[in-house]
Amino acid sequence: KQWYQRRVRDQNIELDTLTGMEHAHVPFVVLLLKCLDVWKADHGGEMPRNYREKVEFKKLITGLRRKPEEENFTEACNMVNKCVAPSTNPLSDLFSDPMATPTRASSAFWLTVAGIKQFHTVRGVLPISGVLGDMTADTEGYIALQALYRDKAESDAREVAGYVEGMTTSLGVPGVAWEMVRRVSKNCRFLRVIRTSPIETELTTDDGDDDDDSLVTVLPLMAVTRVFEREHKRHPGNSDERLNEDEGIVSGMLCAALAGATGTPKRLTLRQAALVKDFVRFGGTEIPSVAAFSGGVAAHECIKVITGQYVPVDNCLVYSGACQRTQVFKI
């Protein structure tokens, strides 16, 4: 980034004057920027754009290496495809969301998103996180580099906070807490908004044809099984004497539910009929391995919601213990 390029140039690091130890511990980001300056000077200010040019760029990096065991040069070459590329905006969908336009009804989160959007409009990049990964460097150099990134992240967050403050003042609404702005700015590259739907919509989910690979039929079948349990005070198939009777009742309920949801008469496909048979046959038995898997998934999702971190399942996950497979449906 331009801010870091300026700091590297200001420090005027000359690789030729460094000792062997210092040369082997120059952070790979410095090596990339040094070589990028040379490349741009020879290519009209353009960065390496394709595979062939990036191969040539890697040769430029390795040409500065003094010894084969200098791992920082290997790190620089490995990071070329990731770092030497035009900046992208992973939040384009979020920025185009109607909620990203600030109003008096906007929540603190969406006001902060609007501030980050304004930052991107002005700077052309997103605020940096300030997190520095592992790399080959001496302690002094790494700490200095870490402080540089941390200070820049703080500066970016302060700028976002300024935009947010301007919005809240013009709208006449309470301001957004600094900690909220700082945290969202730091983690903005991982922001996702997931809008779920009511559980009742599972009855309108239709698999269309007889697809043996799809688990979507499980959704309406589970719904009618719950209706059966409420009406009969038991799970279908809880005794061998009632298997055939319960299978017929559940099949009829599933046909009626699908017909009511879609508005057209429905006949069960072979896949649906087989699932009804399996549902009734297992009689509500809880298999330990399936219960353990389901509990683990539920625990993970709860942690995501409580901590506000990571991306939750969007929005219905079906697990088949018979074929050891999961599918996610947006219903």
Side-chain angles (χ1 to χ4, degrees):
K1 304 303 180 187
Q2 292 180 353
W3 67 271
Y4 189 70
Q5 287 175 313
R6 288 194 295 269
R7 293 299 296 267
V8 170
R9 294 191 188 102
D10 290 344
Q11 293 179 20
N12 195 28
I13 301 174
E14 296 294 341
L15 298 179
D16 294 338
T17 63
L18 300 178
T19 65
M21 180 64 72
E22 292 171 339
H23 195 267
H25 289 82
V26 175
F28 75 83
V29 287
V30 176
L31 298 176
L32 287 177
L33 291 173
K34 284 284 187 181
C35 292
L36 198 57
D37 283 343
V38 175
W39 177 275
K40 286 184 174 181
D42 296 336
H43 294 80
E46 296 290 335
M47 294 197 305
R49 293 170 296 181
N50 52 47
Y51 175 78
R52 182 183 60 80
E53 290 185 351
K54 288 185 178 181
V55 169
E56 292 297 320
F57 184 72
K58 290 179 181 179
K59 291 180 180 178
L60 179 62
I61 296 172
T62 55
L64 299 176
R65 187 182 231 153
R66 293 181 184 175
K67 298 179 181 180
E69 60 268 20
E70 290 182 321
E71 294 184 5
N72 52 336
F73 285 86
T74 301
E75 292 174 355
C77 290
N78 291 339
M79 296 298 289
V80 166
N81 290 335
K82 180 179 180 179
C83 296
V84 184
S87 297
T88 58
N89 179 18
L91 302 183
S92 55
D93 291 341
L94 195 65
F95 287 169
S96 61
D97 193 296
M99 297 292 288
T101 301
T103 66
R104 290 182 59 84
S106 295
S107 64
F109 170 79
W110 282 109
L111 287 170
T112 306
V113 170
I116 295 173
K117 180 180 179 181
Q118 182 64 26
F119 181 97
H120 184 270
T121 301
V122 174
R123 299 288 183 177
V125 293
L126 295 172
I128 72 167
S129 67
V131 177
L132 190 63
D134 292 335
M135 64 183 70
T136 300
D138 56 38
T139 302
E140 182 181 352
Y142 186 84
I143 291 176
L145 191 60
Q146 195 173 45
L148 181 64
Y149 272 77
R150 185 176 60 249
D151 292 345
K152 177 57 178 173
E154 180 81 4
S155 174
D156 286 354
R158 292 290 180 187
E159 185 171 342
V160 172
Y163 295 135
V164 174
E165 184 178 0
M167 295 173 189
T168 56
T169 301
S170 62
L171 293 170
V173 297
V176 179
W178 157 246
E179 181 58 29
M180 172 74 171
V181 176
R182 187 196 65 80
R183 184 159 56 92
V184 175
S185 297
K186 176 181 178 180
N187 299 288
C188 65
R189 284 172 175 76
F190 309 105
L191 290 179
R192 300 291 185 276
V193 173
I194 297 176
R195 293 182 171 91
T196 59
S197 52
I199 192 65
E200 290 80 4
T201 57
E202 65 186 21
L203 285 177
T204 64
T205 304
D206 186 16
D207 58 347
D209 54 13
D210 193 13
D211 182 4
D212 287 341
D213 292 330
S214 178
L215 299 177
V216 69
T217 304
V218 173
L219 300 176
L221 183 53
M222 290 182 66
V224 300
T225 300
R226 290 194 293 270
V227 174
F228 182 101
E229 290 173 343
R230 288 197 300 269
E231 293 181 352
H232 296 82
K233 310 303 181 185
R234 62 181 177 84
H235 194 281
N238 66 336
S239 66
D240 293 341
E241 294 78 13
R242 294 173 171 172
L243 284 179
N244 293 333
E245 177 189 351
D246 289 352
E247 184 179 337
I249 295 174
V250 173
S251 295
M253 294 174 66
L254 181 59
C255 286
L258 293 175
T262 61
T264 57
K266 298 286 292 186
R267 293 183 59 187
L268 296 187
T269 64
L270 294 177
R271 172 65 172 165
Q272 291 169 337
L275 282 173
V276 169
K277 189 177 184 68
D278 285 342
F279 259 65
V280 174
R281 182 171 58 86
F282 94 103
T285 304
E286 292 189 2
I287 302 174
S289 59
V290 175
F293 179 88
S294 303
V297 172
H300 280 130
E301 296 306 302
C302 289
I303 291 172
K304 292 175 186 177
V305 173
I306 293 171
T307 62
Q309 296 181 15
Y310 307 105
V311 180
V313 171
D314 183 18
N315 55 33
C316 180
L317 182 141
V318 176
Y319 169 63
S320 170
C323 58
Q324 293 296 301
R325 188 162 57 89
T326 62
Q327 277 187 270
V328 177
F329 301 100
K330 190 174 179 66
I331 61 175

